[in-house]
Amino acid sequence: MPEEQSQTIMAVDELQAIVQRCQILEEADFKGEDFNLFQVAGQKCLEDGYAAQLLEVIQNEKNKVIIKNMGWNLISPLVRCIFMYKQEDDKREHCLKILDQLAELCNPKELFLSLLEQIEQTSGEQVCQTVMLLLQPLQTVLLKLQNKKAYSVGLSLAMIMNQLTPLPVPYTKQQIEEDKLGLCQCCNAVVDFAKPFVNELVKNMEKSSEYNDMELKEELLKFCMKSLKYPLLTAQLEQLEGIEEHPFRHFATEIVDILWDIKELIPLVFLRHKDRSPHWENQEFAEMEQKNSADSLACLSYLIFVQHLGIACFPVVFSPSYLLQCNMTHIEVLLKRTEESMLSKGLDLFESCLLRMEDDSLLHQYLEFRTFINVPQDLVKVMTLCPIEHLRKKSLNILQLFIDKFDAEGKYTLFRCLLKTSNHAGVEGYIIKNIKDQIHSSLTKACDNVWFTGHHLISLLDLVLMLPEGAETDLLQHSDRIMASLNLLRYLVIKDCESDNQTGVWTTLPKIERNFLKPLHVGLNMSKAHYEAEIKNKKENRKEAHSSNTVCSVTVGGEKMPAMTTEMQLQVLHSALFTFDLIESVLARVEELIEVKIKAVMDEHS
Amino acid sequence: MRKRCRPHRRDGQAEPPMEREHRGGARRPGRLGWRGRAGALGARRRRQLFVWNPGRVAGGDLPGHSSLLRRSRGGKVRPLRVLPSLSLPRVPSREPPGICHVKFPFGAGKFPVRGLCKETMTTDEAAKGEGEVQAVALAERGEDITPARDRGVLKIIKRPGSEDESPMIGDKVYVHYKGKLANGKKFDSSRDRNEPFVFSLGKGQVIKAWDIGVATMKKGEICYLLCKPEYAYGSAGSAPKIPSNATLFFEVELLDFKGEDLFEDGGIIRRIKRKGEGYSNPNEGATVEIHLEGFCGGTRFDCKDVKFVVGEGEDHDIPIGIDKALEKMQRGEHCVLYLGPRYGFGETGKAKYGIQANAELVYEVTLKSFEKAKESWEMDTKEKLEQAAIVKQKGTMYFKEGKYLQAVIQYGKIVSWLEMEYGLSEKESKASDSFLLAAFLNLAMCYLKLREYAKAVECCDKALGLDQDNEKGLYRRGEARLLMNEFELAKCDFQRVLEVNPQNKAAKSQISVCQKKTKEHNERDRRIYANMFAKFAERDAKEAASKTRVKTAAEKPACEKGPETPGAKDEEAEGHV
């Protein structure tokens, strides 16, 4: 024990010794050796738990010059010590005080580097803690910096955000409340950290726009863009019940406010700002930058138009079509992603833009913008391939909204496009149902609609009333589409008399019979015979099948599905037969209707 | 190679007539002509008609109504006179949009009365804030400025403009404005943002009422606009500020406007006289039919109908600026284009038209029709290779004539067609690589001529990616880097040239130039790179570069006088295929 004590005292003594020696020296006369001795002694004091004594040394007025020059050396051991002690430990308190003192006393440039170094070196679970610990001194130091302040602020923010980026973003309510790694808290602390610089910029902007301020503006802008991409793009930003101050919503609000304050919000949302960022000599960097900013801008639009952040000061004179057009690029970016957080943001943004519009008000010319053709196709991908059910459902609703907003020609073009590109019988069936609805409203409403009657309609019907591969088409796979087509045809022959022939269906009937009804008959007969034979086969081989020799296995989402029993296989085969029966009955009904009508007309003539 | 311009309509049917410019207006049934019947009587009759006309659809914009009631109760003197008139919208959901509330948007408590009583209004007029009175007057005396004459947008000029000129379609217009709802609630003001609002006129960027209204204004004018929901946000409203079926009131000041700066470099300014149809534009390589008239210094030097391929206007003595602008025009558009020298006939001028060097030109162009060129993804490999040979020849022709911008377009096509082409047979792949190599090398040369050195380096990099020991690629990259003041890198390139071909004297002399330059800048560099802030270093270097660029540009001719003249080199590149 005494030995240990003497050791510590030695550490403090050593520190005192070096300090006393330096007290008499001029600033310029400090040698590298002195720096080393000071650091070693200081570190030893800290390690041995004599933070209080160290604090005294630092606070001593006589040591001011020494601390100014050498203090930054202590940051690294100090941070280590602070994490060693428990929250309520007195020694921790001393250490924190030392940190404050150093921020006040040290040469800002040196200390700045040493603080950044600490942030750079932390990793994993300690990142948020370290950042939050050092933000305050970092801010103090930055505010004191004379030169290259804007650059240093930017460097700090970039470093911090880079360190945070690998951390997982809490998504569920529980995760947000728990905030295991402290990310929620940390993000908001970072915004607070940035605030004085924003204020400074705003103040300067009011006075004049000097080059130096442009620099600070660029840096803050970069920080905002980065924050929009991470964590905001991946974060859950809906209001959550039971959480009063949703940390990410708060963070998002602050970011939008900063953008507003530095007068970048509206340009970001509305101006395609090419060549704004400094020219990258390297093409790859430029592309990366562009891709990053596409994500960030998409997130920003989501915040403004869906979450209504910052909307209070947003111009309210833009036309809804223009808002949709501006947002289409962002929607496209988001819908191409597979993460739930981004897909749902994309769908929400799309929905909110569409809800601003009146039905039938979107001009078909907008389809000349490539995004207006691409996005519905992406939407179809979401609704057919996305594993998350509520997103699939939502995307279907949005597709309907999108269709509703177009004028007749737009709807017509969109239907053609989707029929050709969706490659999914369910979607095709859905489009065909929509075509039926449009024909219905054309026939029942007084307004003349050239797009869903007459020759335009006929060319659309050519796409609908046919089998993709003739009689060999897999009827089971295409059953949705075939049923919808038959329903449409049934509707047409009931609704439109041969004498009127408003839709033109009677003119094209021979073609329909050739391309659709006849091959469908053949296909049905073949399929039924095939499946019936298969059933018979299965039943006969039932016993043998028990000694299962599975030909292949099916995996879904990486999991191997259990092999089907013969019973299950029979069930499937039977349900297929049932579908064929259903198709056949509707087909029979349609043919009957056609026959009756034609006969009626012939009777009339004779 | 060509195809119809509307890719989505594959049935090849005839285009429908375009008549949807102002749909909102056109869809509404024609209304009685109220224009010219000003005065209280007219207004009252109008009001009644609206109320009793069951055909009118108007959502119940009740906030305005109820707040009006509240206010009138607060007013001490005149509630009795108010209430009878308030009984007008007795059928609340049939309340006419626009007329009833809009009479009162700006008043405080006692305000509503004035609008309803002509006699008091005239006496009050002087005492009240101007805006309030104008708001009332709008509904009664405002001029209907809608093309459909349906009173959807009413306008009163508060302060006439200082100049007689109005903005044209596509112009960038600067306005200050404030907007209020019928209940008097301000929903937006550019003055609160302390920044003028900027938009492109007549492009559907803003609500219809604005595209119509601002187009009628003169520079410096302040006016009031009263906008029916059909010309604003309609039944959908605009969350969160504009409710469904809201009539909006605006005060707009037209601060300034200017022609559209097509490439944001001031080189081509466009002012549209007649808007085109739709949103699709000719692309590079599209065949266009245009009518054009060219002016220089007030005299017309050219007037013709011409059909040509975008990017090859030069063949018809049409400057590159027209090609570039055409890519932003729509079918049927008629516009005036102001071309800076770079986009005009440049430093050489045009003797044929008697145009001097560096002349500014004005063109009036009508895009009569166009057929888009196939996009890269629409062509198969065979087609691309065939076309590549053609455009390469064209590019070389332009290069020899010193028309580098045009040459870049042609060589650029090869890159866009072939750079990302996959699944080629061995033979095709060989041909493709050789086209690409030639294209990159020639592009690099063009960019050197155009003094776009970063782009030149990029092209060389790509050429060297295909053939890492390509002598011309290395030499040109060296040249570009030297001109960018990257002496060390330049020296490396020239040394590599010598490794490939020890006989290259030009490279030898370039190396000594590099060494000289390096020495000059050594001291400076040492200081810069010693700094840990690498970014600052870069910035400083750039500053230095811009300072010395003038110097190097002066030395440039000397660099070109190598034994291998650039022109000769280019022809050699051509021989690659």
Side-chain angles (χ1 to χ4, degrees):
Chain A
M1 193 71 179
E3 197 178 311
E4 202 172 288
Q5 191 152 13
S6 72
Q7 238 180 21
T8 0
I9 289 172
M10 246 175 67
V12 178
D13 284 347
E14 264 172 39
L15 184 69
Q16 289 289 359
I18 170 78
V19 164
Q20 270 160 16
R21 190 152 62 81
C22 291
Q23 272 172 356
I24 44 170
L25 288 176
E26 285 294 317
E27 206 171 328
D29 296 334
F30 292 149
K31 292 197 190 80
E33 188 189 345
D34 299 328
F35 283 78
N36 281 341
L37 286 173
F38 179 82
Q39 185 186 9
V40 171
Q43 184 173 344
K44 205 148 192 331
C45 283
L46 283 167
E47 277 165 5
D48 297 346
Y50 280 79
Q53 281 82 344
L54 181 61
L55 181 61
E56 254 170 59
V57 171
I58 289 172
Q59 281 172 328
N60 188 342
E61 188 65 21
K62 277 193 234 162
N63 300 336
K64 214 171 159 188
V65 179
I66 302 170
I67 301 303
K68 182 184 163 204
N69 282 285
M70 305 183 184
W72 58 271
N73 269 323
L74 297 175
I75 290 294
S76 167
L78 191 61
V79 170
R80 240 179 292 139
C81 276
I82 291 174
F83 286 126
M84 236 163 52
Y85 297 127
K86 291 212 177 68
Q87 202 71 33
E88 57 280 358
D89 200 324
D90 272 352
K91 287 178 180 158
R92 188 185 149 94
E93 277 308 305
H94 292 310
C95 289
L96 290 175
K97 264 197 198 122
I98 295 175
L99 188 59
D100 285 346
Q101 284 293 315
L102 290 177
E104 289 299 329
L105 297 170
C106 287
N107 177 348
K109 197 176 155 193
E110 306 287 357
L111 189 64
F112 167 67
L113 290 175
S114 130
L115 286 169
L116 267 198
E117 209 173 46
Q118 284 309 303
I119 292 174
E120 191 182 16
Q121 281 166 2
T122 113
S123 63
E125 301 196 349
Q126 254 185 0
V127 170
C128 288
Q129 277 178 299
T130 314
V131 168
M132 278 192 285
L133 176 69
L134 298 181
L135 276 178
Q136 188 55 52
L138 193 57
Q139 191 185 53
T140 314
V141 169
L142 282 170
L143 286 170
K144 286 203 292 186
L145 267 188
Q146 298 299 320
N147 298 323
K148 295 180 179 174
K149 186 160 150 186
Y151 172 71
S152 307
V153 170
L155 192 64
S156 313
L157 286 168
M159 176 81 79
I160 292 166
M161 292 314 284
N162 269 342
Q163 288 294 75
L164 293 179
T165 304
L167 302 181
V169 179
Y171 193 72
T172 63
K173 187 185 162 194
Q174 197 196 345
Q175 286 168 345
I176 291 175
E177 275 174 326
E178 192 187 9
D179 194 13
K180 201 168 150 203
L181 296 176
L183 182 66
C184 299
Q185 218 189 333
C186 189
C187 285
N188 283 307
V190 175
V191 174
D192 289 338
F193 164 80
K195 262 185 197 160
F197 307 107
V198 177
N199 293 338
E200 194 178 299
L201 174 64
V202 171
K203 223 189 288 164
N204 288 335
M205 269 164 50
E206 279 164 11
K207 273 186 271 171
S208 69
S209 51
E210 283 163 50
Y211 172 69
N212 200 29
D213 281 353
M214 285 308 293
E215 217 180 344
L216 183 57
K217 191 171 171 171
E218 282 294 329
E219 298 294 353
L220 289 170
L221 184 61
K222 268 190 228 157
F223 163 67
C224 291
M225 293 294 271
K226 176 86 200 174
S227 308
L228 286 167
K229 187 172 156 68
Y230 176 95
L232 290 175
L233 189 60
T234 27
Q236 156 84 269
L237 292 162
E238 292 291 341
Q239 298 271 21
L240 290 175
E241 244 174 84
I243 298 188
E244 215 159 276
E245 180 80 293
H246 185 319
F248 286 123
R249 275 185 77 88
H250 182 259
F251 181 59
T253 314
E254 298 280 356
I255 293 294
V256 173
D257 281 351
I258 293 180
L259 286 173
W260 174 251
D261 286 339
I262 64 175
K263 293 194 193 290
E264 285 291 333
L265 188 62
I266 294 173
L268 278 182
V269 178
F270 286 104
L271 305 178
R272 301 273 152 270
H273 55 125
K274 21 187 161 147
D275 303 339
R276 275 219 36 182
S277 44
H279 270 295
W280 292 103
E281 316 255 299
N282 190 330
Q283 188 73 23
E284 262 171 69
F285 278 138
E287 272 164 24
M288 219 162 69
E289 177 103 342
Q290 209 177 8
K291 202 176 152 291
N292 279 337
S293 82
D295 285 347
S296 307
L297 291 176
C299 185
L300 181 63
S301 280
Y302 168 83
L303 292 175
I304 290 169
F305 294 106
V306 179
Q307 298 299 339
H308 294 166
L309 301 182
I311 197 104
C313 40
F314 216 74
V316 193
V317 286
F318 289 115
S319 73
S321 318
Y322 182 63
L323 289 182
L324 177 64
Q325 185 203 325
C326 290
N327 279 319
M328 254 345 203
T329 348
H330 305 319
I331 294 164
E332 193 178 3
V333 167
L334 293 172
L335 291 191
K336 290 234 190 297
R337 307 298 287 256
T338 49
E339 299 91 330
E340 181 181 357
S341 58
M342 300 182 202
L343 268 180
S344 68
K345 282 191 182 69
L347 293 176
D348 285 343
L349 181 58
F350 200 7
E351 190 182 32
S352 101
C353 290
L354 292 173
L355 288 178
R356 284 165 202 277
M357 312 197 64
E358 303 215 25
D359 283 355
D360 310 313
S361 70
L362 191 58
L363 303 183
H364 65 269
Q365 286 93 339
Y366 277 92
L367 285 168
E368 290 170 20
F369 290 114
R370 186 148 295 162
T371 48
F372 277 73
I373 284 287
N374 289 348
V375 165
Q377 292 178 33
D378 292 334
L379 203 60
V380 165
K381 280 194 195 114
V382 176
M383 79 178 78
T384 54
L385 301 173
C386 174
I388 306 161
E389 193 190 357
H390 71 98
L391 295 182
R392 283 203 306 271
K393 281 186 178 160
K394 183 156 191 176
S395 56
L396 182 63
N397 290 339
I398 291 177
L399 180 68
Q400 187 62 56
L401 261 184
F402 189 57
I403 293 170
D404 292 343
K405 298 306 168 190
F406 270 105
D407 60 12
E409 188 178 347
K411 288 189 177 97
Y412 180 89
T413 313
L414 195 58
F415 292 156
R416 289 191 81 95
C417 162
L418 289 174
L419 279 175
K420 288 199 167 175
T421 57
S422 66
N423 289 323
H424 187 280
V427 177
E428 286 162 359
Y430 191 80
I431 298 298
I432 293 168
K433 188 187 133 295
N434 257 285
I435 294 175
K436 196 191 100 189
D437 294 344
Q438 286 307 314
I439 297 172
H440 181 72
S441 68
S442 297
L443 291 180
T444 48
K445 279 183 201 148
C447 65
D448 169 53
N449 190 340
V450 294
W451 290 97
F452 291 97
T453 55
H455 71 278
H456 285 306
L457 177 63
I458 289 179
S459 96
L460 192 58
L461 289 182
D462 283 348
L463 278 180
V464 175
L465 301 177
M466 55 93 155
L467 291 179
E469 287 149 65
E472 278 92 54
T473 308
D474 184 341
L475 298 185
L476 203 55
Q477 200 193 335
H478 286 90
S479 64
D480 283 344
R481 184 201 156 105
I482 292 167
M483 285 303 285
S485 307
L486 283 171
N487 269 326
L488 169 62
L489 186 56
R490 189 178 58 162
Y491 170 85
L492 286 172
V493 292
I494 291 177
K495 196 77 192 173
D496 197 12
C497 296
E498 199 187 352
S499 51
D500 290 349
N501 197 16
Q502 261 180 293
T503 57
V505 67
W506 296 99
T507 329
T508 186
L509 204 56
K511 197 173 175 189
I512 295 173
E513 277 183 353
R514 199 170 58 241
N515 291 341
F516 185 51
L517 301 179
K518 274 208 187 114
L520 187 54
H521 264 300
V522 178
L524 277 171
N525 290 338
M526 289 197 313
S527 303
K528 277 171 78 169
H530 176 75
Y531 277 77
E532 269 160 7
E534 191 72 10
I535 288 176
K536 205 172 146 206
N537 203 14
K538 276 267 148 29
K539 278 184 180 157
E540 277 170 10
N541 298 343
R542 190 175 279 187
K543 297 237 164 68
E544 296 161 40
H546 269 298
S547 57
S548 85
N549 50 337
T550 342
V551 184
C552 66
S553 64
V554 181
T555 53
V556 172
E559 271 176 65
K560 196 167 174 186
M561 298 293 280
M564 283 172 87
T565 63
T566 315
E567 288 309 318
M568 287 156 85
Q569 289 175 15
L570 277 173
Q571 220 175 338
V572 170
L573 291 169
H574 275 297
S575 91
L577 271 185
F578 177 74
T579 308
F580 297 143
D581 283 343
L582 201 67
I583 295 178
E584 197 164 35
S585 70
V586 182
L587 176 60
R589 171 79 183 133
V590 170
E591 285 179 325
E592 187 188 346
L593 281 167
I594 294 173
E595 204 174 311
V596 168
K597 285 229 176 180
I598 289 179
K599 204 167 165 237
V601 173
M602 276 177 24
D603 288 349
E604 224 169 83
H605 283 299
S606 58
Chain B
M1 157 124 208
R2 320 261 175 241
K3 71 171 207 96
R4 306 248 337 138
C5 89
R6 288 162 180 267
H8 55 270
R9 191 181 297 125
R10 292 175 201 170
D11 48 358
Q13 275 151 7
E15 305 240 334
M18 292 279 310
E19 47 192 13
R20 288 216 173 72
E21 280 264 36
H22 299 291
R23 272 182 59 97
R27 269 192 300 148
R28 292 159 48 77
R31 291 254 219 91
L32 303 173
W34 289 113
R35 267 159 47 79
R37 289 203 211 170
L41 181 65
R44 199 163 294 146
R45 280 175 59 192
R46 209 177 299 149
R47 222 175 290 132
Q48 281 171 354
L49 254 169
F50 274 120
V51 173
W52 300 120
N53 182 353
R56 292 236 352 108
V57 183
D61 189 0
L62 280 171
H65 179 204
S66 55
S67 65
L68 188 142
L69 260 172
R70 235 181 294 121
R71 280 197 209 129
S72 41
R73 280 196 205 105
K76 276 189 180 171
V77 195
R78 296 159 185 159
L80 274 176
R81 276 207 257 163
V82 176
L83 285 173
S85 66
L86 278 175
S87 63
L88 274 177
R90 205 173 280 153
V91 194
S93 63
R94 290 282 168 213
E95 194 181 0
I99 295 302
C100 253
H101 335 154
V102 173
K103 301 195 74 59
F104 323 114
F106 290 85
K110 60 200 169 194
F111 174 65
V113 186
R114 276 185 296 114
L116 302 167
C117 177
K118 183 76 180 172
E119 301 89 279
T120 50
M121 192 177 119
T122 41
T123 47
D124 280 2
E125 221 158 42
K128 290 297 142 198
E130 214 180 343
E132 297 174 2
V133 176
Q134 293 294 357
V136 179
L138 256 173
E140 299 184 350
R141 288 189 274 115
E143 186 194 351
D144 179 3
I145 54 171
T146 57
R149 296 281 175 229
D150 59 7
R151 298 188 61 79
V153 188
L154 300 176
K155 173 184 169 183
I156 283 184
I157 295 175
K158 179 189 171 191
R159 187 186 78 192
S162 52
E163 288 165 39
D164 200 36
E165 211 191 344
S166 287
M168 284 157 79
I169 300 163
D171 279 2
K172 205 172 175 185
V173 296
Y174 297 74
V175 297
H176 258 313
Y177 70 95
K178 62 183 168 206
K180 297 193 180 187
L181 295 173
N183 60 13
K185 193 177 169 216
K186 181 173 80 180
F187 61 83
D188 188 13
S189 163
S190 61
R191 298 204 186 265
D192 290 354
R193 288 191 294 269
N194 214 357
E195 221 172 36
F197 177 71
V198 188
F199 70 101
S200 297
L201 184 66
K203 298 261 173 144
Q205 288 189 0
V206 288
I207 52 173
K208 292 191 189 84
W210 267 50
D211 266 342
I212 296 171
V214 176
T216 67
M217 296 179 73
K218 311 266 186 244
K219 192 167 169 178
E221 175 181 318
I222 299 179
C223 75
Y224 300 119
L225 296 175
L226 186 61
C227 320
K228 290 277 180 58
E230 292 84 342
Y231 286 87
Y233 288 107
S235 59
S238 183
K241 284 183 182 170
I242 310 288
S244 177
N245 286 316
T247 294
L248 307 181
F249 175 89
F250 287 100
E251 180 188 302
V252 186
E253 177 179 4
L254 180 58
L255 301 167
D256 197 6
F257 55 84
K258 55 187 181 193
E260 188 181 359
D261 186 348
L262 288 185
F263 295 93
E264 289 179 12
D265 55 2
I268 306 180
I269 306 291
R270 170 172 69 175
R271 304 206 63 201
I272 299 174
K273 284 197 164 173
R274 189 181 65 236
K275 203 179 155 202
E277 303 162 11
Y279 299 93
S280 61
N281 319 101
N283 53 356
E284 222 164 64
T287 306
V288 292
E289 272 192 82
I290 65 169
H291 173 79
L292 66 76
E293 291 179 36
F295 302 86
C296 184
T299 42
R300 193 171 78 172
F301 62 82
D302 193 8
C303 174
K304 64 187 165 207
D305 289 283
V306 56
K307 184 174 178 177
F308 67 101
V309 174
V310 174
E312 298 168 20
E314 182 56 43
D315 300 352
H316 301 267
D317 303 309
I318 297 169
I320 190 79
I322 302 295
D323 295 278
K324 296 273 180 202
L326 278 166
E327 288 182 48
K328 302 215 167 189
M329 288 174 67
Q330 277 112 28
R331 187 190 307 274
E333 180 174 318
H334 176 196
C335 65
V336 184
L337 298 167
Y338 299 85
L339 305 185
R342 186 178 162 82
Y343 289 100
F345 292 118
E347 288 168 8
T348 39
K350 192 90 187 171
K352 182 179 171 189
Y353 297 133
I355 288 171
Q356 307 284 315
N358 295 321
E360 310 235 334
L361 307 175
V362 180
Y363 272 91
E364 209 162 299
V365 180
T366 309
L367 175 56
K368 292 193 288 192
S369 69
F370 66 90
E371 275 180 37
K372 269 197 172 184
K374 272 190 188 176
E375 301 282 352
S376 176
W377 47 269
E378 292 171 294
M379 298 164 72
D380 60 24
T381 308
K382 188 166 162 266
E383 202 176 353
K384 287 181 180 180
L385 290 173
E386 282 167 9
Q387 291 298 324
I390 297 172
V391 300
K392 188 172 152 238
Q393 214 166 14
K394 249 180 209 159
T396 307
M397 181 191 82
Y398 285 130
F399 185 91
K400 283 183 191 158
E401 292 169 17
K403 287 161 185 158
Y404 306 118
L405 282 170
Q406 280 88 347
V408 164
I409 291 176
Q410 301 302 331
Y411 294 133
K413 282 183 193 172
I414 299 181
V415 176
S416 76
W417 291 335
L418 294 175
E419 195 179 15
M420 292 298 166
E421 189 79 347
Y422 297 107
L424 304 176
S425 71
E426 200 178 324
K427 196 176 150 210
E428 284 172 332
S429 162
K430 226 174 173 182
S432 161
D433 281 352
S434 124
F435 274 125
L436 278 173
L437 182 62
F440 285 130
L441 289 172
N442 294 352
L443 277 171
M445 200 63 228
C446 291
Y447 284 127
L448 277 172
K449 295 282 189 188
L450 291 165
R451 291 175 206 164
E452 297 192 46
Y453 305 121
K455 282 187 184 164
V457 170
E458 204 179 291
C459 290
C460 292
D461 284 344
K462 288 193 173 156
L464 293 169
L466 291 166
D467 173 10
Q468 57 172 345
D469 293 325
N470 187 286
E471 190 181 344
K472 282 176 217 118
L474 289 166
Y475 187 90
R476 285 173 199 175
R477 189 168 70 183
E479 267 186 297
R481 283 175 165 169
L482 181 59
L483 291 162
M484 289 164 83
N485 281 4
E486 289 170 353
F487 312 118
E488 281 302 320
L489 288 170
K491 198 169 107 186
C492 292
D493 281 335
F494 292 125
Q495 277 164 346
R496 289 274 317 277
V497 172
L498 285 181
E499 280 169 30
V500 177
N501 175 14
Q503 307 306 315
N504 194 324
K505 283 180 198 151
K508 269 182 206 155
S509 66
Q510 292 283 31
I511 289 174
S512 63
V513 174
C514 289
Q515 277 160 342
K516 197 173 130 241
K517 294 259 181 190
T518 314
K519 223 174 254 171
E520 280 173 25
H521 285 259
N522 238 356
E523 265 315 296
R524 182 191 195 96
D525 284 358
R526 197 171 295 153
R527 188 156 55 78
I528 291 163
Y529 291 109
N531 195 330
M532 74 155 279
F533 297 109
K535 191 176 140 193
F536 276 110
E538 208 175 289
R539 198 164 290 169
D540 287 355
K542 267 187 202 158
E543 267 167 40
S546 66
K547 266 177 219 152
T548 45
R549 190 156 295 164
V550 188
K551 225 197 310 174
T552 42
E555 280 164 9
K556 204 175 148 242
C559 307
E560 281 174 15
K561 276 183 205 143
E564 243 191 328
T565 66
K569 270 185 271 177
D570 195 71
E571 279 159 62
E572 249 176 72
E574 188 194 354
H576 248 290
V577 181

